Amino acid sequence: MARVIVDVMLKPEILDPQGQAIARALPRLGFSGVASVRQGKRFELELDGPADEAALAEVHKMAATLLANTVIEDYTVRVEG
């Protein structure tokens, strides 16, 4: 069994209002030194078998089809552990 992580982030050219709201709130909460914030999503997939080339290709298809809106988001796939 393998765990695969899919991280989804808005593309750099897409405005991130939630990230901007977080960035504005941090100083009010006493945190400093953060220039900007981008907010994203993380998906953890537990595979039935090993994270071989075929399984990772299937995860990429899942990410491009369902997990990410590839018009405005980028995604990365990595095996944990």
Side-chain angles (χ1 to χ4, degrees), residues 4-77:
V4 177
I5 308 300
V6 179
D7 291 307
V8 179
M9 295 292 295
L10 286 171
K11 291 182 178 184
E13 62 272 15
I14 302 297
L15 294 177
D16 183 0
Q18 188 170 0
Q20 291 172 346
I22 293 166
R24 286 191 305 269
L26 289 173
R28 290 193 309 266
L29 296 171
F31 298 102
S32 62
V34 177
S36 68
V37 176
R38 301 287 289 175
Q39 182 269 332
K41 301 179 274 190
R42 171 184 162 127
F43 298 92
E44 296 181 2
L45 298 131
E46 296 264 344
L47 304 182
D48 287 333
D52 57 15
E53 194 173 312
L56 290 177
E58 195 72 7
V59 170
H60 276 278
K61 282 169 113 177
M62 290 176 206
T65 303
L66 177 65
L67 304 179
N69 176 349
T70 57
V71 173
I72 61 169
E73 295 174 319
D74 291 325
Y75 67 88
T76 59
V77 174

